[in-house]
Amino acid sequence: MFARSSALVFSPQCGQVRNMATLKDITIRLKSIKNIQKITKSMKMVAAAKYARAERQLKPARIYGNGALALYEKADIKAPEEKASKHLIVGVTSDRGLCGAIHSGVAKTIKNEIANLTGAGKEVMVVNVGDKLRGLLYRTHGKHIILNCKEVGRKPPTFTDASIIATELLNSGYEFDQGSIVFNTFRSVISYKADRKPVFSNDVVANSETMGVYDDIDADVLKNYQEFALVNILFLALRESSASEQSARMTAMDSASKNASEMIDKLTLTFNRTRQAVITKELIEIISGAAAL
Amino acid sequence: MMAARFLRRALPALRQTRCYAEVASGSPQMSFTFASPSQVFFKEVSVKQVDVPTLTGAFGILPAHVPTLQVLRPGVVTVFGDDGSTAKYFVSSGSVTVNADSSVQLLAEEAVLLDQLDIAAAKANLEKAQSQLAGTSDEAAKAEVQISIDANEAIVKALE
């Protein structure tokens, strides 16, 4: 038995060195993992309910947002490449974690974009929608951040939220020429993808060649139109991001619950084995004590 | 000015020699999308005509209308379907885009069917807003009250 216990000490298959775990330790561990499994299961239920609502709200929002983007696609507006232009990146995530790679995907795309643009000598500034993104970016790219938005993701996003973000962005005083909004598009329950949609300033749109086709546009009308289009695109980004986040949280909590139940099964076996070993040890002591008499 | 454009388009159909109004070189169908943030009314549907109220005046959009961008003001949007049916909606604000390929995107911040509005409530809101306008002196608040007045006036006019 001495040999067996030393084998336990020197073989870290489970990644830890145990000194003959007592029944009490295993019981405590088992209880805590069972609690965690309950929590992750309930988080999965909540995320599933929120996801159902978010997906339902996404359907009209997608048609609305794509309608707003139609102009930029059909007129094929592109900013002039040569002159040093000011860029803007709006990253859309949320405040809460435990949702897989949602926030890190957007952060990675933004970091690559910043690296490309600063490498080409252009100025770029970032707007964070969601506290998690701020946490990921401010340490390394803190000087690029101009605006942070909090309290995102608690309730489903509304048109008012998008208009508040757009108002603050336009009032911030940063005269950007072009930019993009980075967010996670919802593809299915199990998949989402970080995507970018373009944003252009009034000057770029007005001076684009294909805009000449459009008749009877004065500066005032174009300004109003652009502001409204910006809000619409932000609204689409918020809704898509919300649906992706809830579906990702659902799958993450589902795998966490599965992992927890696996650990519970293994621990229960270990518990039973330990319990039997303790009983056997006591029996042997009793029997050898009785035999000695 | 819009009426003159209308006439210019209608005239060729009357002439016998040249009748290029019937067979347009581009797509003669108008792909109409009308949506608000919470609801989609028409999605890439082919309709005959759409009347929209814009900041520069109300005008009607037919297939092969010249491309344009406009901003809406509170008013009534009338959609004439291919089968002759009409549908009226009240919109609060938004934008309309007519593209070169005859697709029209009408995005309204808020839009409701006209028969869902109550004229008595609109009149009451209008009076309340007008009395508020006399009371406030702050510029921003005044602008907000003015918006409310415009919208309610448009609702009352639409329902009468």
Side-chain angles (χ1 to χ4, degrees):
Chain A
M1 206 152 75
F2 186 69
R4 215 187 317 144
S5 60
S6 56
L8 274 170
V9 169
F10 289 111
S11 63
Q13 292 125 304
C14 24
Q16 53 197 5
V17 177
R18 285 189 307 202
N19 292 326
M20 200 59 203
T22 59
L23 277 177
K24 193 138 181 268
D25 294 338
I26 300 181
T27 320
I28 293 172
R29 199 139 181 250
L30 207 51
K31 203 166 83 155
S32 100
I33 295 182
K34 277 190 179 152
N35 281 340
I36 289 177
Q37 195 203 26
K38 281 201 199 106
I39 293 173
T40 52
K41 251 199 186 138
S42 69
M43 280 187 77
K44 177 188 157 196
M45 295 284 123
V46 169
K50 286 192 177 171
Y51 157 73
R53 180 163 60 163
E55 211 221 334
R56 216 176 349 138
Q57 285 182 335
L58 177 62
K59 282 202 184 68
R62 248 196 197 157
I63 298 175
Y64 186 73
N66 288 330
L69 289 164
L71 169 69
Y72 301 116
E73 285 161 14
K74 295 199 189 220
D76 207 14
I77 297 177
K78 272 192 262 286
E81 284 299 323
E82 313 81 23
K83 68 180 178 79
S85 46
K86 292 183 164 191
H87 281 248
L88 174 79
I89 302 180
V90 180
V92 180
T93 57
S94 82
D95 285 356
R96 285 147 160 220
L98 294 179
C99 46
I102 290 280
H103 309 297
S104 48
V106 171
K108 198 163 73 156
T109 314
I110 293 183
K111 284 182 184 170
N112 285 341
E113 259 307 287
I114 295 180
N116 288 343
L117 290 170
T118 44
K122 307 206 168 123
E123 185 188 339
V124 59
M125 288 301 221
V126 177
V127 170
N128 292 328
V129 178
D131 224 19
K132 280 283 170 186
L133 195 60
R134 183 188 68 89
L136 286 170
L137 286 182
Y138 92 106
R139 217 176 283 268
T140 47
H141 299 86
K143 56 178 166 48
H144 290 284
I145 300 180
I146 47 170
L147 199 58
N148 286 314
C149 305
K150 280 169 62 153
E151 299 294 318
V152 178
R154 196 183 294 263
K155 289 188 285 219
T158 59
F159 194 77
T160 321
D161 298 334
S163 61
I164 293 174
I165 299 174
T167 317
E168 286 300 317
L169 168 61
L170 293 168
N171 289 345
S172 72
Y174 180 61
E175 306 284 336
F176 62 95
D177 295 310
Q178 61 174 326
S180 48
I181 304 184
V182 182
F183 58 99
N184 288 302
T185 32
F186 172 78
R187 288 204 302 198
S188 82
V189 186
I190 51 169
S191 99
Y192 55 88
K193 189 167 178 290
D195 197 14
R196 287 160 48 194
K197 291 288 179 208
V199 170
F200 299 103
S201 72
N202 291 348
D203 294 328
V204 168
V205 172
N207 295 336
S208 169
E209 315 140 359
T210 36
M211 283 305 289
V213 177
Y214 290 85
D215 171 67
D216 191 24
I217 302 176
D218 57 351
D220 229 3
V221 168
L222 186 62
K223 180 159 164 290
N224 287 333
Y225 185 89
Q226 280 280 95
E227 283 176 12
F228 191 63
L230 178 65
V231 179
N232 292 342
I233 301 177
L234 273 171
F235 175 70
L236 173 68
L238 282 170
R239 283 260 163 105
E240 293 261 5
S241 172
S242 163
S244 322
E245 182 199 333
Q246 298 300 347
S247 75
R249 187 168 290 127
M250 204 169 70
T251 44
M253 290 297 102
D254 186 38
S255 7
S257 309
K258 284 207 183 79
N259 291 343
S261 58
E262 242 182 68
M263 286 175 80
I264 288 172
D265 289 340
K266 282 208 193 104
L267 267 180
T268 312
L269 283 174
T270 324
F271 177 79
N272 284 331
R273 245 185 287 124
T274 315
R275 184 179 53 86
Q276 287 159 356
V278 166
I279 293 174
T280 312
K281 186 168 139 210
E282 284 181 14
L283 274 175
I284 290 178
E285 280 176 9
I286 294 170
I287 292 172
S288 55
L293 285 172
Chain B
M1 187 182 59
M2 298 289 175
R5 250 191 235 144
F6 239 80
L7 285 174
R8 212 181 341 119
R9 217 164 280 280
L11 269 177
L14 296 172
R15 285 199 233 159
Q16 255 82 27
T17 46
R18 287 193 297 170
C19 48
Y20 47 76
E22 274 90 67
V23 183
S25 55
S27 64
Q29 299 288 22
M30 167 164 62
S31 154
F32 179 55
T33 307
F34 176 21
S36 78
S38 53
Q39 209 182 344
V40 174
F41 299 101
F42 293 87
K43 183 185 167 200
E44 287 170 8
V45 176
S46 156
V47 295
K48 227 169 32 175
Q49 183 184 338
V50 185
D51 289 337
V52 291
T54 71
L55 280 181
T56 50
F59 66 102
I61 305 175
L62 287 126
H65 191 283
V66 63
T68 182
L69 307 173
Q70 291 294 345
V71 172
L72 305 174
R73 72 171 146 81
V76 177
V77 165
T78 318
V79 181
F80 298 90
D82 272 344
D83 51 357
S85 60
T86 54
K88 287 184 190 248
Y89 302 88
F90 184 83
V91 297
S92 65
S93 65
S95 68
V96 60
T97 313
V98 184
N99 300 112
D101 61 357
S102 225
S103 63
V104 178
Q105 286 90 27
L106 179 60
L107 305 171
E109 190 163 340
E110 278 175 37
V112 291
L113 277 167
L114 211 52
D115 51 16
Q116 288 179 356
L117 290 174
D118 176 27
I119 187 163
K123 279 190 171 145
N125 285 341
L126 178 61
E127 279 164 23
K128 197 169 74 159
Q130 278 167 338
S131 61
Q132 255 185 347
L133 183 65
T136 53
S137 56
D138 175 30
E139 276 303 318
K142 244 189 172 142
E144 281 180 25
V145 175
Q146 189 59 45
I147 294 174
S148 169
I149 291 180
D150 289 340
N152 284 315
E153 272 177 356
I155 298 180
V156 169
K157 200 167 79 141
L159 292 171
E160 272 167 0

